[in-house]
Amino acid sequence: MKIDGKVGNCQLPTWQKMARKITSGPIRDKERTKNKLLKAVGAILKKEGFPGLNISRVASKADVDRKLIYEYYGSLENLVQAYLNGKDYWKVNLVNIDEIIEGSKVDFGKQIAYSALEGQFDALMADKEMRKIITWSLCENFKPLTDLNKERERLGEALFSSISDNFFKDKEVDIRAVQGLLIGGVYYLTLQAKMSGQTMCGIDINTEEGREKIKKTLKQIIEWAFS
């Protein structure tokens, strides 16, 4: 084996030297920088909220040249969009949407209706950044946020029109209205509990007991709607 490198008193074979070299390079460095920028957006969001986001602060937090934001994302808006796409609890691999729809036809969408609510509830309880995103989306007309909401609506429309609408067309229950009220309720309950620490109707969802009560009731409402 050809020996052409040394570390201390030890010589390294060529293949080991090559293995070390591939840990850096334009592609890897770019991905590292993009990851640092996305983490910086999240860190600023947690501490200061969306008003604290600007090019200079994100670049400084990430410890990179601000021009790289433009080079890799084109604008702060696009960087925020990339960040939101990676955080959204509704995010579903749309490549598998047909498979999801087909599998949900068995129970006319009952399980996915509940799973979406439970996933939303758990994500908002656990993730401060997502709560900031929801709060900001209620107060600001910012394109990345409106685009994110449109994507959620597009996914929801696909599920309703392909699965639930036909099942409910001759029933008195409006499943879209039911789901809308439940989603809105989850938003408010989680934001209130985590931002002010207050209870709702005597239920404290900052406790495991309180969270289980809400999940149980969400499931009961879905069961009622599909009965």
Side-chain angles (χ1 to χ4, degrees):
M1 181 181 294
K2 181 180 178 181
I3 306 295
D4 62 358
K6 293 184 178 181
V7 175
N9 294 322
C10 301
Q11 293 179 314
L12 292 176
T14 302
W15 68 269
Q16 284 185 324
K17 290 180 67 182
M18 292 177 63
R20 286 191 174 193
K21 289 180 181 178
I22 63 171
T23 60
S24 63
I27 295 176
R28 286 178 178 268
D29 290 345
K30 178 179 179 179
E31 290 307 308
R32 287 194 188 99
T33 299
K34 290 174 72 175
N35 190 47
K36 287 170 70 175
L37 288 168
L38 292 171
K39 286 183 176 180
V41 170
I44 293 170
L45 177 59
K46 279 183 178 179
K47 187 174 181 180
E48 305 177 49
F50 279 92
L53 289 176
N54 59 54
I55 291 287
S56 296
R57 284 192 177 185
V58 172
S60 177
K61 187 71 175 178
D63 194 24
V64 303
D65 192 319
R66 58 184 290 165
K67 69 182 181 183
L68 291 177
I69 294 176
Y70 297 105
E71 181 177 339
Y72 295 156
Y73 291 99
S75 66
L76 177 63
E77 186 175 277
N78 290 340
L79 171 59
V80 174
Q81 183 73 68
Y83 167 81
L84 292 174
N85 287 341
K87 294 296 297 183
D88 191 27
Y89 48 76
W90 284 101
K91 208 67 182 175
V92 172
N93 186 353
L94 293 180
V95 173
N96 298 326
I97 189 64
D98 291 338
E99 181 181 337
I100 293 170
I101 289 173
E102 193 60 34
S104 297
K105 287 180 179 178
V106 176
D107 62 359
F108 306 102
K110 180 170 71 173
Q111 181 56 46
I112 198 170
Y114 173 70
S115 296
L117 289 165
E118 182 181 44
Q120 178 196 51
F121 181 77
D122 287 339
L124 285 173
M125 287 298 295
D127 197 328
K128 183 177 181 180
E129 293 165 73
M130 277 309 307
R131 295 195 297 272
K132 293 279 189 178
I133 290 169
I134 294 299
T135 302
W136 197 42
S137 69
L138 296 174
C139 304
E140 298 286 342
N141 183 21
F142 184 54
K143 188 175 184 299
L145 291 169
T146 57
D147 287 348
L148 188 63
N149 188 61
K150 287 177 182 178
E151 186 69 8
R152 293 177 194 144
E153 282 293 291
R154 189 164 73 89
L155 173 60
E157 183 60 35
L159 295 173
F160 281 126
S161 61
S162 300
I163 305 170
S164 304
D165 283 350
N166 190 57
F167 178 73
F168 284 94
K169 67 179 182 180
D170 296 322
K171 298 180 180 294
E172 293 185 1
V173 175
D174 186 332
I175 191 59
R176 290 179 180 239
V178 170
Q179 200 76 348
L181 286 169
L182 293 178
I183 291 169
V186 166
Y187 276 12
Y188 188 82
L189 283 170
T190 52
L191 293 178
Q192 182 196 50
K194 284 297 185 179
M195 292 182 163
S196 69
Q198 296 182 34
T199 61
M200 173 65 72
C201 298
I203 299 174
D204 183 0
I205 63 172
N206 285 310
T207 67
E208 183 176 354
E209 181 184 5
R211 291 191 294 274
E212 288 306 311
K213 284 183 178 181
I214 296 300
K215 288 184 181 183
K216 179 181 178 181
T217 302
L218 288 172
K219 193 167 188 177
Q220 287 174 332
I221 294 173
I222 293 298
E223 290 285 352
W224 159 78
F226 279 83
S227 64

